[in-house]
Amino acid sequence: MKKERNHRLDAKVNSERKRNCMISISTQRSFIMGIAILWIVWFHTDLSYQIPLLSFLRETGYGGVDLFFLLSGVGAWFSLQKNPDAASYLKRRAMRILPSYYPFIIAWLLMMKITGELYGTEIIGNLTMLGWWAQGRNQFNWYVDAIWLFYLLAPVFVGVIAKACKKERTVVLLMAAGFLASATFFHSLLLTAFSRLPVFVLGVFLGSVIMRTMQEMEAEKCVSVQETQDEKTEIKNSGKGVGASWVKKHLFDHNNVIWNILMLAGFAILYLCLTKLSGYMWTYGLWWYPFVMIAPGLALDLGCLAQWLQKSKAGNILRRGINAAGEASFEIFLWHIGLFEYVKPRLEMNGIRWLILAATAILIGIAYRKLIEKAVSLPGKRIGNDLGKI
């Protein structure tokens, strides 16, 4: 009887751990986005290292944008399942982006005009967020223009996947279609955006998996109300541990092995492309396509890492700091691009100066986010804790 009870308890612990890791992509979204924006900031520095691994990680820091697209897909699923009206979804997205974008971009345009680096026609492209699509000069950044394509496509992707009987096959077909569509932009800078279509579709699918997992866990809670207190205590205690046990329990959990193998394979492919096919990286999107394999596993690992950090006081302080960066990720993105572009041509940079400039951009971005929140009622102040609000 005791052996049977222990076996049942082990099965319950493993099931709970597996599901908690999966839904951590949702519940720890701010932490994942915080790591992503810090990675992007690091990428935009010109720091060089003698250690090859550090150089590789900095050179691939643009992959934080792929994490953004993956999480945007997850958020689109939650948001459109809660309210399937596409117009309402786009309005919520606009209310998240535009109040932060326009005050900043107007200040940036004035600065560029004063310094003689901008002409009248280029202002229109930045204000309409269409300039990059038209391949205009002196457009602030491709991402702030490109993200609207994904928001417009989100209701289509969510609707198709929601109605599909065989979701996995449908997702593969949509990802293949996204790749084929992006292939028509080989040799074009527009490939920077279109190559991210597959990872966005994958994010929408993961959103459906996460929501289903949450619903299953909620249903099981109702069924297991009669569970003994001893079993609850044993399950809770079995999830505790130090760093080594976290690695053993998470990275080598058979349900997470596939995602981690794909992530490592993606990094290996990216490394081979960088070393053997460097002349083709921009032309054929080899910078970006490997992140279709990398982003899901990386998001899963970061989500579980955030859960583990919650178990200690020091870890929780670190997690909250990264969460703050994640909640202000768009604002940090704006300010670090603006500050870096202004300072780099005017000041000889070194390691200390890069550290000070990066920290300044991050702190300004967080403060700017809080200022915008006070001035405008943004949807989902704690956007990382409730994807349904996005």
Side-chain angles (χ1 to χ4, degrees), residues 309-320:
L309 287 174
Q310 287 179 291
K311 296 180 179 180
S312 68
K313 185 176 181 180
N316 201 39
I317 293 172
L318 176 61
R319 186 188 66 86
R320 290 172 63 184

Side-chain angles (χ1 to χ4, degrees), residues 247-275:
V247 172
K248 181 178 179 181
K249 291 174 182 176
H250 169 63
L251 295 184
F252 297 102
D253 187 294
H254 71 279
N255 293 290
N256 298 326
V257 164
I258 293 176
W259 290 116
N260 283 288
I261 288 176
L262 286 173
M263 178 183 68
L264 293 175
F267 274 123
I269 291 171
L270 183 57
Y271 179 78
L272 289 174
C273 290
L274 280 168
T275 54

